[in-house]
Amino acid sequence: MKIVFTGGGTAGHIFPIIAIVREMKKIHPEKDLRLFYIGPKDEYSLTLLSQEGVKIKLIFTGKLRRYFSFKNFLDLVKIPVGIFQALFWLFVLAPDLVFSKGGYGSFPTVFAANILRIPIFLHESDSVPGLASKIESKWALEIFTSFEKSEYFPKEKIICVGNPIRKEILEGDIEEAKKIFKIQGGKPVILILGGSQGAQSINEVISGTLPDILNDFEIVHQTGRKNYQTVKLQSEALIRPEFLKKYYHPFPFLNETQLKHILALADLVVSRAGSGALFEIAACGKPAILIPLPSAAQNHQVKNAYQFAKRGGGEVIEEKNLKPHFFLERLRYYFDRKDILEEMKNNSLSFARPKAAQIIANYLIDYLLQITKKK
C-alpha cells in the first residue's frame, strides 16, 4: 500500500499532510503502508515530513503568477522539467494513489499522476481554490474541502470535512505554557500569529502600540524568522518603562510544542486567515481578530476570514484599516465585555472540525484496502 503526498509552497500545505499521516499510522500500523512525498525543496517542511517517516523525492516546481514578473519565464521552464521528474518517480514508486494538498508545488506530480492513470485525491484548504487546485479538480476522484461554501468545484465530487489539524495541538497545558514563555500573569494574554513567514504589517502595528499595549496585555508574538531581529531591536528601544519588557515575548517561530501550550493559555489570538491557522484556533476554542493577507491568491484569506467571522468566532480587520490605536482599542473593547468574548469562544469552537484528518485517513485507507482485495 503506497501513497504519494504532494503539495507545496508553504507550511500550510505540509501541516495537514502531517496530520493525515499520523492518523493513517494509527488506523493502519502495519509495515505495508509506505508513504512518500514528491514536491519542491523546503528545508523546514521536509524536515517535518522526514520526522514522520515520509520518504521525500524532490522535483522542480514553478509558480504561475497572475501579474507580470520575470520569474514567470524561469518558472515556465521549471514546470515541464518538474513534470518529467514526477513521471520518473511515480513510475519507479508505483503508488496506489496520489493525495494532493494543492498549491503550485503539487501541480507537476498531479499532472504526471493523471498521465499515468494513478487515482488522485485532492484537499482544498481555502474557501476559494487556487489555479493549481482548479486544474487538479478535473482529474481528482474526490475533493475534500474545509469550508461548506467552496467555490468552483463540482458538487458531486465534494466531501466537506474541514482542514486537517494535528491533534497534538489540542493537548496544550496552561501551566507548561507559563513556564515556557515566562508568563508574568495578572493580564490577559494575546497570541500574535503572522503565519509561518511572519507578517510585516502586523509586526509594525504591534511595534506601533508599544508600550501602550503592554499596560493592559501580555503579548506572545510570532514575528517570522526574517523579521525577528528587527522586531526585537525595535521593542527594546520602544518599551518604556523598563519593567514592561517582561510582558512582551517575541519568537521567530513557534514549533508544535510551543504552539499547543500557548494556544491553551491565550485569551485571544490575532492571526492571518490561512485555513490551517483558522481551524487550529477554532479547535482550541479561541476568539480571534483576523487580519487577512490582502495579496493572497484569489483573495482567499479575506473570504476565509469572513466565513469564520460570520459564525461569530471573531472579527475581521482588513489590512487597509489596520492602525495601531484602532487595533488597541478593539482589544480593550473585547476585554471590557467578557460576555462577548465568551460567546466568541463558543462560536469559534462550533466552527472547528477537529476530526478532518481522521476522516480523510479512514477514507484513504478504506480505498487502499479495496484496491488490495481486487488485486
Side-chain angles (χ1 to χ4, degrees):
M1 295 169 64
K2 297 179 187 177
I3 297 181
V4 164
F5 292 94
T6 188
T10 66
H13 294 101
I14 301 301
F15 288 146
I17 291 175
I18 290 172
I20 294 167
V21 165
R22 290 176 180 176
E23 291 299 323
M24 292 186 80
K25 288 180 177 179
K26 291 177 187 175
I27 298 164
H28 191 85
E30 283 82 357
K31 292 181 179 180
D32 66 332
L33 182 62
R34 299 176 63 190
L35 307 176
F36 302 88
Y37 172 83
I38 299 176
K41 186 177 182 179
D42 176 345
E43 293 296 344
Y44 177 71
S45 297
L46 300 182
T47 298
L48 293 176
L49 287 167
S50 296
Q51 290 171 351
E52 303 298 326
V54 178
K55 295 182 179 179
I56 296 162
K57 309 299 179 185
L58 298 178
I59 61 171
F60 286 110
T61 59
K63 184 176 183 180
L64 292 179
R65 300 161 188 83
R66 299 189 181 188
Y67 54 87
F68 178 78
S69 171
F70 286 109
K71 291 181 180 179
N72 282 336
F73 296 104
L74 178 60
D75 285 0
L76 281 172
V77 176
K78 287 182 178 179
I79 291 171
V81 173
I83 291 170
F84 279 110
Q85 290 175 312
L87 280 167
F88 171 79
W89 283 118
L90 290 174
F91 181 79
V92 170
L93 297 174
D96 297 297
L97 66 86
V98 167
F99 182 88
S100 171
K101 261 309 285 118
Y104 69 88
S106 69
F107 180 75
T109 303
V110 176
F111 187 91
N114 182 56
I115 292 173
L116 296 173
R117 296 294 184 264
I118 299 169
I120 298 161
F121 293 84
L122 171 66
H123 181 273
E124 176 53 50
S125 294
D126 298 304
S127 56
V128 184
L131 179 60
S133 291
K134 285 181 178 179
I135 298 171
E136 292 171 17
S137 69
K138 300 178 188 299
W139 308 321
L141 293 179
E142 305 285 359
I143 303 167
F144 302 100
T145 63
S146 296
F147 294 88
E148 292 178 1
K149 293 183 178 180
S150 292
E151 300 177 11
Y152 185 83
F153 298 136
K155 291 182 179 179
E156 64 274 12
K157 287 187 177 184
I158 292 176
I159 304 173
C160 183
V161 296
N163 196 60
I165 65 168
R166 299 159 289 173
K167 279 191 176 178
E168 291 75 11
I169 290 294
L170 307 179
E171 299 171 356
D173 181 85
I174 291 174
E175 294 305 316
E176 194 63 29
K178 290 177 180 178
K179 294 177 186 176
I180 292 172
F181 294 95
K182 299 179 182 178
I183 300 298
Q184 302 301 303
K187 299 179 182 182
V189 175
I190 310 296
L191 172 61
I192 314 286
L193 298 173
S196 60
Q197 303 301 316
Q200 184 65 32
S201 59
I202 296 176
N203 292 345
E204 289 172 357
V205 166
I206 299 305
S207 296
T209 61
L210 295 172
D212 293 342
I213 195 170
L214 299 179
N215 284 318
D216 299 323
F217 305 100
E218 189 156 359
I219 305 294
V220 175
H221 182 188
Q222 178 180 276
T223 66
R225 292 185 178 89
K226 292 180 181 178
N227 304 320
Y228 175 70
Q229 287 301 328
T230 300
V231 172
K232 191 169 184 295
L233 288 171
Q234 286 177 341
S235 66
E236 289 173 354
L238 291 169
I239 298 174
R240 293 289 185 275
E242 193 77 16
F243 76 89
L244 286 176
K245 289 183 178 180
K246 64 186 178 183
Y247 294 105
Y248 183 59
H249 313 281
F251 284 78
F253 183 76
L254 300 176
N255 62 34
E256 185 176 301
T257 299
Q258 292 169 324
L259 183 60
K260 72 178 182 181
H261 291 312
I262 195 58
L263 277 172
L265 175 65
D267 296 293
L268 183 141
V269 181
V270 178
S271 176
R272 287 299 197 195
S275 179
L278 276 185
F279 280 89
E280 288 181 347
I281 291 166
C284 293
K286 298 298 173 179
I289 292 177
L290 301 175
I291 306 165
L293 179 67
S295 60
Q298 310 296 310
N299 210 28
H300 70 262
Q301 284 208 12
V302 172
K303 295 182 180 181
N304 289 354
Y306 279 109
Q307 286 208 38
F308 181 82
K310 188 176 180 180
R311 293 285 291 271
E315 175 184 358
V316 181
I317 302 178
E318 294 195 36
E319 197 164 288
K320 61 186 177 183
N321 301 321
L322 186 63
K323 308 299 179 186
H325 290 292
F326 173 70
F327 171 72
L328 180 55
E329 287 309 311
R330 295 310 294 165
L331 289 179
R332 288 171 174 164
Y333 169 84
Y334 286 118
F335 284 93
D336 285 342
R337 295 162 177 79
K338 295 296 178 65
D339 56 329
I340 295 177
L341 206 60
E342 193 61 34
E343 185 178 353
M344 287 168 67
K345 291 179 183 178
N346 295 330
N347 291 335
S348 180
L349 196 59
S350 71
F351 181 83
R353 291 174 177 261
K355 293 186 178 180
Q358 184 180 350
I359 292 169
I360 294 173
N362 271 309
Y363 197 101
L364 297 181
I365 291 294
D366 286 345
Y367 181 83
L368 289 170
L369 290 173
Q370 289 176 21
I371 289 176
T372 303
K373 287 179 182 178
K374 289 178 181 179
K375 289 179 179 179

